[in-house]
Each structure stands twice: as structure tokens, then as C-alpha cells.
Amino acid sequence: MSSGFLSADQISKLFDRASEGNLPVEADVVGGAAGPAGRRNRWLRTVDFTRPSKFSTDQERRLRRALDAFCNTVTTRLVAEHRLSIELEVIDVQQLTWTNAFGALPDGSVFGTLATAPHEGRMLLTAQVPLLVHALERLMGGSTDEPVKERALTDIDLMLVRRLLSTLVDALSAVWFDLSETTIALADVDTQPELVQVAQGSEPTLALTMEARLERVSSTVVLLVPYAAIAPVAGSFSRREDEHGVQDERTAAAVREGLGRVDVTLRAEVAETRLTLHEVLALKPGDVLRLEGGAGGDGSGEVVVFADRTPVLRGRGGRAGKKRAVQVLAPITPEAGS
């Protein structure tokens, strides 16, 4: 159409293509070039609302590192408490809305709702039924040589699953507390997705997927972290590694006491001079070097006392009996020494 508007038939075709996921791709506009009929093209930017950006890159990185630490420690705990050699490894981290993250969970999963304290947050830990059935068979003394048949979980199975998930959550809570001084507890276990109520559909959610390996079975364990669950302590997941909180006076006193027993060599520098490497190589016995500043060995000039290469004191040279000595005049502050 010469007017530049789409006809009803063209609009219908566009909707059909969109429903099939076949969206048209607009060519980039360079420098705001004029379009057809002399009209200026509009700047267009595609926005994917299924990919929120509420979690910063630093927060994603720290949460993944926390989950890596959890994976490294939980294996030992499972072997000690349940005689289960389950290996976990983080394989993917995505930021989605809650609806999309929850909808992407594998079918046939068990949902463990997690509660954070002291802030009332909610998270979700899921594991697939085949992995849990295999683990339960081993817990009840099943043979490792016989393949495990998939089956529905009974009420007794769910009690054992709750205990197994509690072990995972306790290990995760220890890592979480180190980061944000908050704890995590297993609040509920469900097998029906309709019963899971954790976050609003549009809530930005970080989906952390782990691969779980138990003998010949490989499955996935997913942790969904809505932003609302970490919002009260979001700064704890984004501060720099070298930042620290309130100083512990007892720890500081112990550090000072320990450092106070370290031997330090002091040297007094009367004066200095600077030479080029050529001048140093040209020195011969009997040459006299002129120092910058007055000599303080006879008490007429000021000397600087160094601890290693750091100037710490100003003093005056002299003697104490038959030995040379330095009388301290004043400390050197960092500003004065710079």
C-alpha cells in the first residue's frame, strides 16, 4: 500500500508467523537513514521479557560460586549420612521470570520448598523422580548390580525423600550463611506442581541447574532463586571480596599481639645520593661521594629510620657510650613519608 500501512490480510499473516515463532528480522538502521517516501526510520530494539536482568552479573557469579562450593561439600555429607555417592556439578545458570523458570523444569520432578530466615523468603529445589527412586533403593539396601525400575513415590518414599532433601538443604544453608548470614530450611515437599506457591509469575528468578550422578544414573537437580528471596540481603551477594563488616575487637587484638612478636630490622639512613649505573661502574678506591643533606652521625643533622624500605621515624644521630645511636624525634606519617 502506498500509505505505508499494512492491510488486514498482511496483519493476519504476521500474527500467524508470530504464533509459529517465525518473527521478521528488521535490518539495522545506520545513522538514522531515511526510509521509503522520505520518512525517517525508527530505532527499534528487541526486548525479550522472558530474560529479566534483575540479578547483576556479580550476583550471578557469586551465587554460582556458592553452588559450586555446595556441590563440592555435599558429596562427603551424603556418603557419611546416607552411604550415597551422589556427585553434583553446576552445568547452567539462567535468569528468567518465575513462570518460565518453573515451566522449564523437567516433568516428573519432586519439589522442595525452601524457607529463608530471618527474612521470610522462598526458594525451590527440585530433583527428578528416577534419581530419587534410585537413591531410595540404595538407602534401603538394594543391589547396585540390578537396574532400578521407575515407579510412583509412596508416602514412605516421600518421608525418605524429605530426609534426603533435608541433608542437601542443610549443606546449602551452611554455604548461604557464609555469604549472607541467612539460613535455609526445607519447608515442604510436593509432587504436584499445582501445589507449589513460591513467587509471582513475573518475579525475576535465577535458575541454577546441576547434574546429579549416582552410579549409572544421570539426572538434574535445579535450584530456583527468586530475587525476592535475596532482596533483603542483596548486597551480600554483590559486594567485593575484600569488603568486610564490623571488625571483631578480639580478633583484631589477637592479630596485633601476634604481629607484635615479629622481629623487625631497623636501619638509620643519614643521607643518600643517586648515581647512574655508568657512574657506579666507574667508581674506584679512594673516590669521594657527596651525599645529599647534612651528615647526621655527629649529631648535627637529621636521620630517617626505616623498617625494611618504609620510613617510620625521624631522629637525630649521636652516641650512647661507645656505640652509635639515634634519638627519636617524631614518627613519620604516611602523608609525610609520601
Side-chain angles (χ1 to χ4, degrees):
M1 299 176 64
S2 59
S3 61
F5 294 99
L6 297 177
S7 66
D9 185 52
Q10 290 173 319
I11 293 175
S12 177
K13 290 181 179 179
L14 280 178
F15 275 101
D16 291 340
R17 293 176 62 184
S19 63
E20 298 172 358
N22 185 18
L23 295 176
V25 179
E26 297 290 340
D28 293 337
V29 180
V30 180
R39 292 193 305 274
R40 187 180 183 87
N41 286 328
R42 296 181 179 179
W43 288 94
L44 300 178
R45 181 167 61 93
T46 302
V47 178
D48 187 357
F49 290 100
T50 66
R51 301 281 181 175
S53 56
K54 187 70 172 178
F55 289 85
S56 66
T57 303
D58 191 32
Q59 288 172 337
E60 285 192 27
R61 187 183 303 114
R62 289 178 68 88
L63 284 168
R64 174 159 189 159
R65 285 205 301 264
L67 214 59
D68 285 334
F70 159 75
C71 292
N72 292 333
T73 59
V74 73
T75 300
T76 304
R77 186 160 182 176
L78 288 173
V79 171
E81 296 186 10
H82 301 288
R83 300 295 188 269
L84 287 175
S85 181
I86 299 180
E87 298 179 358
L88 292 173
E89 180 184 1
V90 181
I91 58 175
D92 189 31
V93 178
Q94 295 187 67
Q95 190 172 170
L96 305 166
T97 62
W98 172 260
T99 298
N100 290 301
F102 189 76
L105 294 175
D107 295 333
S109 295
V110 174
F111 308 95
T113 302
L114 313 183
T116 62
H119 309 288
E120 297 180 357
R122 286 287 189 271
M123 298 186 294
L124 190 68
L125 181 67
T126 71
Q128 292 181 271
V129 170
L131 173 70
L132 296 175
V133 170
H134 197 84
L136 295 180
E137 291 290 338
R138 298 299 173 258
L139 281 173
M140 293 183 289
S143 173
T144 59
D145 299 329
E146 299 178 1
V148 178
K149 297 181 180 180
E150 295 186 15
R151 56 179 173 81
L153 296 178
T154 65
D155 291 340
I156 296 178
D157 289 335
L158 288 177
M159 292 179 61
L160 295 174
V161 166
R162 175 181 284 272
R163 181 179 177 186
L164 180 61
L165 292 181
S166 295
T167 302
L168 297 177
V169 174
D170 287 345
L172 180 62
S173 180
V175 176
W176 217 260
F177 185 82
D178 291 340
L179 277 177
S180 60
E181 296 186 355
T182 57
T183 59
I184 302 175
L186 182 63
D188 200 4
V189 176
D190 293 299
T191 57
Q192 301 298 324
E194 298 82 5
L195 302 178
V196 178
Q197 298 293 333
V198 174
Q200 298 293 328
S202 60
E203 180 69 24
T205 302
L206 200 65
L208 301 110
T209 304
M210 296 167 279
E211 180 187 8
R213 297 181 293 271
L214 175 59
E215 298 171 356
R216 294 180 295 273
V217 176
S218 178
S219 184
T220 56
V221 176
V222 183
L223 177 65
L224 299 185
V225 183
Y227 188 82
I230 70 164
V233 290
S236 301
F237 294 94
S238 58
R239 62 189 177 194
R240 295 175 50 185
E241 297 288 349
D242 56 354
E243 290 182 353
H244 51 273
V246 180
Q247 186 181 36
D248 186 353
E249 293 297 333
R250 290 179 299 178
T251 301
V255 172
R256 286 194 296 267
E257 181 181 357
L259 293 177
R261 293 193 292 267
V262 176
D263 293 332
V264 178
T265 300
L266 297 181
R267 62 182 178 85
E269 185 177 283
V270 176
E272 65 176 6
T273 189
R274 293 182 179 274
L275 300 174
T276 64
L277 180 59
H278 177 73
E279 291 172 331
V280 172
L281 296 176
L283 290 175
K284 303 184 299 297
D287 289 346
V288 177
L289 296 178
R290 185 178 296 276
L291 302 176
E292 299 175 3
D298 57 357
S300 60
E302 189 176 273
V303 299
V304 179
V305 179
F306 286 79
D308 194 10
R309 298 182 180 182
T310 304
V312 292
L313 299 170
R314 296 190 184 278
R316 188 177 301 278
R319 291 181 178 275
K322 296 182 179 180
K323 297 182 179 181
R324 296 185 180 274
V326 174
Q327 182 184 21
V328 176
L329 299 179
I332 297 177
T333 61
E335 292 80 8
S338 61

